[in-house]
Amino acid sequence: MFLRIDRLQTELPMPKEADPNAAAALQELLGGKYGEMSTLGNYLFQSFNFRSKSKLKPFYSLVANITAEELGHVELVSTGVAMLNNGPGDPEDYDIGAAPFEDMKDIRLAASFLSNGGGAMPMNSNGASWNMDFVTTTGNVIFDLLHNFHLECGARLHKLRVYETLTDPTGREVCGYLLVRGGVHAHAYALAIKKLTGVEIEKMLPTPNIPTDRIPESAKYLEEGSHRRLYRFSPDDYKEMAGIWGGGEQALPTDPKGTLEVVDGPPEGGKIPELEGTPSAFAPDYAPEEMYEIATKLWKKSR
């Protein structure tokens, strides 16, 4: 089962203005080959299909727990996409007859407005749908862990390239945070392979060699120690992964020094920004004031 918390894993700054083409670039981190839908799908189905769970509990616990974090990463990227598509807010009054959204027909992913109201969808930066062909689950724990290591390394390269195309603080914050957390996951899978085979694959890291300490949005997470932490997304389960992540293991030489640790519970995170509906685009509807009144009454009734 999954426990959902109504917060993002980290706080995102509001965009300076609507930038739907930047949102399209960020879509690659959601529905691209190495995007968060792929990391989630791989670990989710590997955890479902895992054999000998009780005998290989530390390795199952690692994959299952990282799955939960990836759900939050999908939410984080999706929120960033929606924020960039919508911007910090819209004027209250529109003249529908004056084509107030004329510019939207020329954006790279016009369907993100025309069909999805400026929201995120499981697709890449060109609008191609994410698909199950990006998921590998073989039933062989070593092969799956090696695939996961490759996937996380590819995802970090993904994120750097997207970061280097963006100037808005919202998209850059998403990339900066995920670059650090992706490094944690790559390191964790490398250590798991080492425990199983004796091969010191963690010596390959950082692969790719990304100087996260020179990326402001990443450096602050390094300074607070996020690169050393695996969060345990469960009240009581997945404690066995501490045998892989921890136990005197050190942070990578390229990162600030420190001992790896498992933290009970999720990160503190940040509030999910509230995106306002745009009545002239019929979101939430042509009579939003009535809907707001109904929602307010229901909310008061629930208290």
Side-chain angles (χ1 to χ4, degrees):
M1 295 187 290
F2 294 94
L3 175 68
R4 184 165 185 175
I5 300 170
D6 195 21
R7 291 177 68 81
L8 294 178
Q9 286 186 10
T10 193
E11 189 167 346
L12 296 180
M14 287 300 295
K16 297 175 182 177
E17 59 185 2
D19 191 346
N21 284 326
L26 206 60
Q27 276 282 164
E28 192 69 25
L29 302 189
L30 183 61
K33 182 177 181 180
Y34 293 100
E36 301 302 334
M37 288 292 298
S38 290
T39 51
L40 170 62
N42 276 266
Y43 311 155
L44 183 68
F45 284 94
Q46 286 175 18
S47 68
F48 291 161
N49 298 330
F50 205 100
R51 300 296 189 264
S52 302
K53 291 180 180 178
S54 59
K55 296 178 180 178
L56 297 170
K57 199 64 178 287
F59 304 99
Y60 165 68
S61 293
L62 183 72
V63 174
N65 182 76
I66 292 178
T67 297
E69 181 168 354
E70 295 296 348
L71 272 166
H73 289 182
V74 170
E75 180 181 41
L76 184 71
V77 177
S78 297
T79 302
V81 168
M83 291 170 70
L84 285 168
N85 270 325
N86 289 275
D90 296 305
E92 294 184 2
D93 297 322
Y94 281 97
D95 179 1
I96 296 176
F101 297 106
E102 182 180 10
D103 292 342
M104 301 304 283
K105 71 179 187 303
D106 297 321
I107 64 174
R108 183 168 17 144
L109 288 181
S112 65
F113 171 73
L114 299 173
S115 296
N116 310 324
M121 289 293 285
M123 59 185 179
N124 69 10
S125 55
N126 290 320
S129 297
W130 181 85
N131 69 84
M132 61 163 280
D133 292 340
F134 298 153
V135 173
T136 294
T137 170
T138 68
N140 182 298
V141 62
I142 295 176
F143 189 23
D144 282 352
L145 289 172
L146 187 60
H147 170 77
N148 296 352
F149 176 77
H150 155 81
L151 184 60
E152 291 290 353
C153 290
R156 292 185 77 241
L157 186 59
H158 228 188
K159 294 172 178 68
L160 177 66
R161 288 174 175 168
V162 172
Y163 177 89
E164 292 178 326
T165 70
L166 301 176
T167 57
D168 192 279
T170 306
R172 286 197 152 205
E173 189 69 28
V174 172
C175 295
Y177 177 77
L178 294 178
L179 276 166
V180 174
R181 296 309 299 165
V184 169
H185 295 170
H187 192 182
Y189 287 129
L191 290 176
I193 294 168
K194 179 182 180 180
K195 301 290 185 183
L196 274 175
T197 68
V199 175
E200 296 179 321
I201 195 171
E202 80 276 11
K203 290 184 177 180
M204 292 177 61
L205 290 168
T207 304
N209 190 6
I210 298 173
T212 45
D213 59 334
R214 291 166 50 190
I215 299 173
E217 293 83 0
S218 296
K220 64 183 181 182
Y221 294 111
L222 297 176
E223 291 171 4
E224 68 182 33
S226 182
H227 64 292
R228 298 186 294 105
R229 299 183 189 128
L230 260 183
Y231 297 98
R232 194 170 60 82
F233 288 84
S234 173
D236 299 303
D237 297 316
Y238 311 129
K239 296 178 181 178
E240 300 83 2
M241 67 180 180
I244 298 170
W245 186 267
E249 292 283 358
Q250 295 292 311
L252 294 172
T254 53
D255 293 334
K257 294 181 180 179
T259 304
L260 307 183
E261 60 177 339
V262 173
V263 177
D264 291 336
E268 180 180 351
K271 184 178 179 180
I272 299 176
E274 184 167 344
L275 300 176
E276 298 292 338
T278 305
S280 60
F282 304 112
D285 207 341
Y286 59 89
E289 63 283 349
E290 295 178 15
M291 299 178 70
Y292 297 152
E293 184 179 350
I294 294 170
T296 300
K297 289 179 179 178
L298 292 174
W299 178 76
K300 290 180 177 179
K301 188 177 180 180
S302 69
R303 299 183 70 182

